[in-house]
Amino acid sequence: MRQMLAVDYEFCTGCHTCEIACQQEHGLAPSRFGIKLTQIGPDQITERKWQYEFVPVPTDRCDRCARRQAAGKPPTCVQHCQAGCLYCGTLEELAEKIDLGKKKLALFS
C-alpha cells in the first residue's frame, strides 16, 4: 500500500525539527531538503483575525524514509516532530488516527 504523509498544520509550531532530522538522517547539506517548512502569513484576514501558520511540505527527495519504514520505524520527520502533527501511513491507517475532514490538514502521497 502507498504510504502518505499527513500534516495537521493547525498544530505545527514552525520549529524546523522535521527539516533538521531529515537532513541528518539522509546526509543532506543545509541547503537541501527532504521536507521543507513553509510559512503562511502573517496575514490580516479581518480587523481581529490573522492567519499565521506553518506547513511542512515533502520535496521530491522525500521517500518517506523507506529504509526506516522497512525496519519498522516511522519516517524521521514523524518521529522527531515536536508538535506531534506529522503522520505517515496508508490512507486507511491515517483515517483511523486523525480526522481527515479537518480544515487544516494536508495529505501528501
Side-chain angles (χ1 to χ4, degrees):
M1 299 287 299
R2 185 179 193 135
Q3 295 291 305
M4 302 181 78
L5 186 67
V7 180
D8 183 352
Y9 65 95
E10 179 178 358
F11 297 105
C12 181
T13 63
C15 71
H16 296 270
T17 302
C18 56
E19 290 179 338
I20 295 166
C22 178
Q23 287 170 326
Q24 290 179 349
E25 178 75 23
H26 298 287
L28 299 174
S31 61
R32 304 276 185 218
F33 299 91
I35 190 165
K36 178 75 172 132
L37 192 69
T38 60
Q39 178 179 317
I40 301 169
D43 184 23
Q44 188 169 7
I45 307 300
T46 66
E47 185 177 322
R48 298 186 59 131
K49 183 179 178 183
W50 288 78
Q51 182 176 18
Y52 190 46
E53 294 161 328
F54 301 94
V55 182
V57 177
T59 70
D60 288 344
R61 286 185 183 84
C62 178
D63 66 355
R64 309 296 187 270
C65 287
R67 223 178 30 205
R68 286 179 55 88
Q69 289 199 63
K73 298 176 182 178
T76 194
C77 62
V78 173
Q79 179 177 339
H80 293 284
C81 178
Q82 299 288 310
C85 66
L86 293 174
Y87 306 89
C88 187
T90 64
L91 187 57
E92 293 77 18
E93 291 168 341
L94 293 174
E96 290 177 11
K97 292 180 187 176
I98 53 179
D99 177 9
L100 295 180
K102 285 187 76 166
K103 184 177 179 183
K104 297 188 178 194
L105 179 72
L107 284 175
F108 299 94
S109 61

